[in-house]
Amino acid sequence: MKSPNLKLVFLTCFLGFSFYAPGQAQQNAVQQGLLQKSKAVVSQYVANFDRPAVRIPSQVAVDAPLLGNGSTGVAIAGTPDKQTYYLARNDFWRLKSGFNESYPAVLGKVEVAVPMLKKASYEVNVDLYTAIATSTFQAGDTLLEIRSFVSTKDDCLILRLKNKGKQQIKGQINLLLPAEDQFKNNPPAESLFPAVTQQETRGNGTKLICRGFEELVDIPTKAAAAGKIITQQQPAFNLHAGESLTYVCALSSNFKSKNCVEKVLKTLDGLDQKNVKQLEREHKKWWADFWSESYVEIPDKVIEKQYYLSHYVMGSCSRDPQFAPPIFGTWITREIPNWNGDYHLNYNYMAPYYGLYSSNHLGTAGSYEQPLLDFMERGKFYSKEITGISDGLLYPVGIGPKGMETTRQNAIMESVFGGYIQGGQVEHKGLFFGQKSNVSYGNQYGYSVLYDLRS
């Protein structure tokens, strides 16, 4: 018997499993109805923050307002006089198979410095339906509003500052490499590895940062960001009452373009106010389509809000088909994250995807398979050597993107975590934590499924 208090609607129910093929007009009508209803339901919910984040930068999950486009992640922190937008990417890792040698890396941060807001009130609201954060800071007659989002197209963090008070507002926007507090250096267990960095200011007011790992790695990586106020040549600003400005920070990596530095500079040079408005329209459309894939209504609105919050997080961090989000999501704010921020295969990696399949967000779940496929060759090696199954797969507890093994025996494990080796948790340099019997499959089951997905 159906409960009258639960409404669960899937687009596929209307279009995918019909007994007949509806005409285009009917399909459009159904889609429009889903868009309208899902908007009415989801737009009720806003993530409210009345104080700055405390647990940031952090080696674990942060307690900050979060933005993202499934590739770039932005965590909002700082006091009203120094708002900080931490930048990270799913495809920016140090890639080296070895225990505590492979992990998602930090890229940098955007800082909005407004000294006159030192004693201002703090309020940040993230609208789940549009994925736009509105930050409001007020001190007497001084009132600054910052609207921010990460665009679906062109991979940009966009900030729109508006003076909504009576007093003139002066400040500066800077793009910076990570600060000291974004690194943990605790050798030999957690060591800082050499990174190539670049930071410069161009003549047109553009600031550029870049980080990369080129030495002692299996696969070189690099990420870059470039930012500026698009209507002026300097990072300093002076807003009179009612005035506004737009700041854009473009991001990329060596996996998205051959020269990520040139890419971000080119993206930034090609943007004006008209382009930015188009980016916002496309951003809103992506989220409207995402929410229309399904919606749920239940009497308990607290649980209902948490349901949509969880989908908001996955929609913000899981869209890159080549790079799944790390264990704490895209929002990496300190190197090295706990558990290397890797894809932990006990259950941690799988669990966030469960709800995406049941709620019809199949596109957002598309990042799940690739790391597993990329590790198949090593998985076949472990299966053959450890279990004797030549056509099976056996995976260790921790892997990363592009076939990396984050928990493979190396000098760090031998010197600091030798108990894993003496305790029999390591075989053929792979760390299994006693799970070998649970993750080995023959060709009839797991291997054939993975092989079919790869082909």
Side-chain angles (χ1 to χ4, degrees), residues 3-7 45 297-304:
S3 169
N5 294 324
L6 175 64
K7 299 177 183 177
Y45 299 116
E297 292 183 274
I298 60 175
D300 191 326
K301 297 305 176 183
V302 173
I303 294 178
E304 186 174 295

Side-chain angles (χ1 to χ4, degrees), residues 154-156 198 200 202 204 206-211 222-227 249-271:
D154 287 344
D155 224 346
C156 295
Q198 179 181 355
E200 62 182 77
R202 299 292 176 103
N204 62 355
T206 296
K207 287 185 175 289
L208 170 73
I209 61 169
C210 179
R211 289 192 78 216
K222 190 175 185 179
C249 178
L251 302 100
S252 189
S253 79
N254 64 314
F255 294 104
K256 297 298 184 289
S257 52
K258 290 183 179 179
N259 189 324
C260 57
V261 170
E262 288 185 2
K263 172 63 177 176
V264 295
L265 292 172
K266 184 177 179 180
T267 297
L268 205 58
D269 288 342
L271 289 175

Side-chain angles (χ1 to χ4, degrees), residues 77-97:
T79 53
D81 59 316
K82 188 183 283 188
Q83 279 290 278
T84 304
Y85 296 78
Y86 288 91
L87 309 175
R89 294 181 58 83
N90 285 349
D91 59 5
F92 184 44
W93 287 59
R94 183 179 192 271
L95 295 177
K96 168 71 174 177
S97 284

Side-chain angles (χ1 to χ4, degrees), residues 141-441:
D141 291 338
T142 304
L143 174 59
L144 177 65
E145 178 188 87
I146 306 176
R147 293 178 74 251
S148 54
F149 67 95
V150 181
S151 66
T152 299
K153 183 183 176 183
D154 287 344
D155 224 346
C156 295
L157 166 65
I158 297 172
L159 309 179
R160 184 174 182 273
L161 283 65
K162 185 170 184 179
N163 184 345
K164 302 188 78 171
K166 299 178 181 179
Q167 301 297 321
Q168 192 176 23
I169 297 178
K170 295 181 180 181
Q172 184 164 316
I173 306 179
N174 290 311
L175 177 61
L176 306 169
L177 286 167
E180 266 188 42
D181 62 355
Q182 290 189 257
F183 299 96
K184 184 174 182 180
N185 191 21
N186 180 34
E190 296 168 308
S191 300
L192 289 179
F193 294 98
V196 178
T197 62
Q198 179 181 355
Q199 180 169 321
E200 62 182 77
T201 301
R202 299 292 176 103
N204 62 355
T206 296
K207 287 185 175 289
L208 170 73
I209 61 169
C210 179
R211 289 192 78 216
F213 297 94
E214 299 176 355
E215 300 177 16
L216 306 174
V217 295
D218 295 330
I219 301 175
T221 57
K222 190 175 185 179
K228 66 170 293 187
I229 300 171
I230 63 174
T231 53
Q232 62 184 56
Q233 301 294 309
Q234 300 296 329
F237 62 85
N238 187 358
L239 290 177
H240 296 276
E243 290 184 340
S244 62
L245 65 82
T246 301
Y247 174 89
V248 179
C249 178
L251 302 100
S252 189
S253 79
N254 64 314
F255 294 104
K256 297 298 184 289
S257 52
K258 290 183 179 179
N259 189 324
C260 57
V261 170
E262 288 185 2
K263 172 63 177 176
V264 295
L265 292 172
K266 184 177 179 180
T267 297
L268 205 58
D269 288 342
L271 289 175
D272 56 21
Q273 291 285 13
K274 182 179 179 181
N275 300 140
V276 170
K277 289 180 180 178
Q278 180 61 27
L279 290 180
E280 183 171 347
R281 285 192 292 269
E282 292 171 350
H283 165 82
K284 289 180 176 178
K285 183 181 185 304
W286 189 94
W287 280 99
D289 290 342
F290 173 81
W291 294 121
S292 73
E293 289 170 347
S294 72
Y295 64 85
V296 173
E297 292 183 274
I298 60 175
D300 191 326
K301 297 305 176 183
V302 173
I303 294 178
E304 186 174 295
K305 180 179 180 179
Q306 291 302 120
Y307 173 86
Y308 288 114
L309 276 168
S310 68
H311 285 304
Y312 170 82
V313 169
M314 290 303 291
S316 298
C317 73
S318 177
R319 298 187 218 171
D320 190 328
Q322 296 297 314
F323 291 87
I327 196 171
F328 299 114
T330 314
W331 303 280
I332 302 301
T333 58
R334 179 178 286 165
E335 292 179 15
I336 304 170
N338 284 4
W339 300 284
N340 301 298
D342 67 8
Y343 310 142
H344 244 55
L345 300 183
N346 39 18
Y347 76 92
N348 300 83
Y349 178 59
M350 299 79 171
Y353 291 90
Y354 297 158
L356 294 177
Y357 294 106
S358 62
S359 59
N360 197 39
H361 296 310
L362 303 182
T364 309
S367 64
Y368 173 75
E369 295 91 356
Q370 195 60 50
L372 303 175
L373 299 176
D374 289 342
F375 201 78
M376 285 181 69
E377 291 305 311
R378 187 70 177 176
K380 287 192 291 184
F381 166 81
Y382 282 136
S383 180
K384 180 180 178 180
E385 297 298 323
I386 296 175
T387 71
I389 302 175
S390 60
D391 57 352
L393 290 172
L394 178 61
Y395 283 24
V397 69
I399 67 172
K402 300 297 179 182
M404 293 300 106
E405 186 174 356
T406 59
T407 52
R408 186 181 298 179
Q409 181 180 338
N410 60 4
I412 296 175
M413 179 186 286
E414 292 164 0
S415 63
V416 184
F417 300 95
Y420 291 150
I421 303 170
Q422 282 82 50
Q425 303 297 327
V426 178
E427 293 189 51
H428 290 273
K429 297 191 175 182
L431 180 62
F432 292 93
F433 278 130
Q435 298 181 50
K436 296 187 296 297
S437 61
N438 297 328
V439 293
S440 180
Y441 299 90

